[in-house]
Amino acid sequence: LRAMSKADGDKIILVVLPKYYNGKKYWVFGSKAAIYLHIPAEIIGMPLSTMQNVVKLNEEPFVTKAGVVLYSMPLHRTKQKRR
């Protein structure tokens, strides 16, 4: 097994809500679009189109007007042998 590098491109988006929604404050997603399948735009504080066109998730967290904090982080995996 070898550790996959950051160049492999897998990232997660950690969403931290200021208040609980459906019993959770911390949510983890694989894409910006996936966020909106589970959390309404009113809770996030912006529509998906704005998120995709304006928000650049790099090293710094992004805070929406609704107080939602978005983090982008690498997903660390090991490569499995295929049989």
Side-chain angles (χ1 to χ4, degrees), residues 47-71:
L48 174 59
S49 59
T50 302
M51 170 86 67
Q52 290 177 326
N53 294 321
V54 175
V55 177
K56 306 295 182 221
L57 294 175
N58 295 317
E59 300 298 321
E60 295 295 317
F62 182 87
V63 182
T64 70
K65 290 180 181 179
V68 175
V69 184
L70 305 161
Y71 299 90

Side-chain angles (χ1 to χ4, degrees), residues 13-40:
I13 300 170
L14 173 64
V15 177
V16 182
L17 303 176
K19 297 179 185 175
Y20 284 87
Y21 177 75
N22 282 348
K24 297 192 293 186
K25 284 182 76 166
Y26 299 92
W27 297 72
V28 179
F29 298 98
S31 69
K32 293 176 183 175
I35 296 168
Y36 291 85
L37 294 175
H38 300 275
I39 305 173

